[in-house]
């Protein structure tokens, strides 16, 4: 999805010709709000406004702490000049956990109510697809998620949402509502830490579920990686630790995967 050096150079020349400077452009993180029933939610539309070239959209569900400064920074990194990212809130406006206990409380509620989780991710997807005044190619939409956000992204796929591709980073695999044959439209890329004890026991069941539902899926294990391997701030050994190599490789795989799915 990266534009060529020639393209960048030509654009820079055009800016100069009109007395403008690319230095004035920057990564945008614009607050956006929406409702699901009576409940309000707030997230951010993130994109590079250097130019108006349309690019695919990516729904990003963050880790169990929800919409934080770290999640916004991650969304900016993922967006680059490749995507328009909607950093999605699935807890509710103003619900921002401060401790692990608070975060787990929110996670448990949604894990116990998959229909609500799917409704919230589905609405966020609609918000992204219909976003105005952003350089979005709404014909090409993907979704990603980290930790609990990965679980949420998988539930979005299981719901039959109209997305091209879903990639998860150290996301939970189990569900109370397995995918039904012919329902899942998205291709899936599951990026997992080989030493993540939280997902190890769920892998066979997940693979059987995907095969039974006839899903186009890939599962990648990264040696030496545990939970949280793609989150630079993660430092809670032994179970939640950033792994630079696994993070770099997994992100590269995600970008190649999306480039393939968005090519048509």
């Amino acid at each position: 999805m990266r534009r060529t050096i020639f393209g960048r150079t030509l654009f820079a020349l055009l800016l100069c010709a009109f007395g403008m400077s690319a230095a004035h452009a920057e990564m945008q993180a614009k607050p956006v709000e929406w409702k699901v029933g009576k409940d309000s939610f707030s997230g951010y539309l993130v994109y590079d406004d250097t130019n108006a070239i349309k690019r695919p959209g990516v729904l990003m569900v963050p880790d169990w702490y929800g919409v934080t400064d770290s999640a916004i920074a991650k969304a900016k990194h993922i967006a680059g000049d490749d995507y328009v990212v909607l950093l999605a809130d699935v807890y509710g406006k103003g619900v921002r956990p401060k401790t692990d206990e608070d975060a787990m409380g929110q996670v448990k509620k949604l894990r116990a109510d998959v229909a609500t989780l799917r409704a919230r991710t589905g609405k966020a997807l609609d918000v992204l697809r219909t976003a105005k005044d952003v350089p979005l190619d709404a014909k090409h939409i993907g979704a990603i998620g980290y930790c609990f956000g990965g679980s949420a992204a998988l539930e979005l796929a299981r719901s039959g949402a109209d997305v091209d591709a879903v990639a998860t980073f150290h996301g939970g695999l189990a569900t109370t509502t397995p995918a039904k044959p012919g329902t899942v439209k998205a291709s899936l890329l599951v990026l997992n830490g080989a030493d993540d004890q939280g997902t190890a026991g769920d892998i066979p069941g997940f693979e059987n579920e995907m095969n039974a539902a006839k899903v186009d899926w890939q599962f990648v294990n990264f040696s030496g990686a545990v939970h949280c391997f793609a989150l630079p701030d993660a430092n809670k050994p032994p179970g939640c630790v950033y792994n630079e190599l696994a993070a770099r490789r997994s992100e590269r795989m995600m970008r190649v995967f999306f480039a393939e799915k968005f090519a048509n």
Side-chain angles (χ1 to χ4, degrees):
M1 306 301 295
R2 300 280 180 184
R3 287 178 284 285
T4 64
I5 294 175
F6 173 79
R8 292 179 185 276
T9 303
L10 177 60
F11 182 71
L13 290 172
L14 288 172
L15 284 177
C16 291
F18 284 94
M20 297 158 49
S21 170
H24 292 116
E26 59 183 348
M27 188 66 68
Q28 300 295 318
K30 294 186 175 181
V32 58
E33 297 187 3
W34 61 92
K35 283 183 173 291
V36 180
K38 296 181 179 179
D39 298 321
S40 298
F41 298 84
S42 60
Y44 289 87
L45 278 166
V46 180
Y47 61 95
D48 184 344
D49 72 350
T50 299
N51 60 67
I53 296 174
K54 293 187 180 299
R55 64 211 71 167
V58 174
L59 177 70
M60 174 181 156
V61 188
D63 65 49
W64 67 342
Y65 270 72
V67 178
T68 62
D69 289 343
S70 292
I72 294 171
K74 172 67 83 171
K76 289 180 176 180
H77 171 74
I78 293 297
D81 60 359
D82 292 332
Y83 314 119
V84 172
V85 171
L86 174 63
L87 177 59
D89 170 22
V90 295
Y91 293 158
K93 183 179 179 181
V95 181
R96 301 293 184 259
K98 300 299 183 183
T99 67
D100 288 358
E101 291 73 21
D102 290 343
M104 181 55 75
Q106 295 299 321
V107 168
K108 283 183 176 180
K109 285 194 295 186
L110 289 175
R111 281 180 174 166
D113 189 355
V114 171
T116 293
L117 178 58
R118 292 183 178 184
R120 291 179 178 181
T121 54
K123 179 60 178 182
L125 181 66
D126 291 342
V127 171
L128 171 61
R129 198 185 304 275
T130 58
K132 306 297 183 184
D133 301 320
V134 295
L136 175 68
D137 174 7
K139 294 182 293 185
H140 296 301
I141 301 289
I144 64 174
Y146 297 85
C147 298
F148 174 65
S151 301
L154 282 180
E155 293 299 350
L156 179 71
R158 287 178 171 117
S159 74
D162 187 14
V163 290
D164 296 311
V166 170
T168 69
F169 297 81
H170 40 81
L173 306 175
T175 184
T176 59
T177 313
K180 296 179 180 179
T183 298
V184 178
K185 298 184 175 107
S187 295
L188 305 183
L189 173 62
V190 178
L191 303 158
N192 186 68
D195 295 338
D196 187 340
Q197 298 305 305
T199 57
D202 296 326
I203 294 173
F206 173 78
E207 293 179 346
N208 290 336
E209 176 196 358
M210 294 298 106
N211 287 334
K214 303 187 184 305
V215 178
D216 173 26
W217 65 276
Q218 302 171 65
F219 194 101
V220 181
N221 262 333
F222 295 96
S223 65
V226 295
H227 200 59
C228 313
F229 67 78
L231 300 177
D233 295 336
N235 185 25
K236 296 179 181 178
C240 182
V241 182
Y242 176 60
N243 184 307
E244 183 180 1
L245 181 60
R248 185 170 66 249
R249 287 177 172 174
S250 61
E251 183 182 322
R252 185 181 301 122
M253 289 180 182
M254 178 272 288
R255 292 185 186 277
V256 170
F257 175 61
F258 278 177
E260 174 196 325
K261 299 306 298 182
F262 294 154
N264 298 324

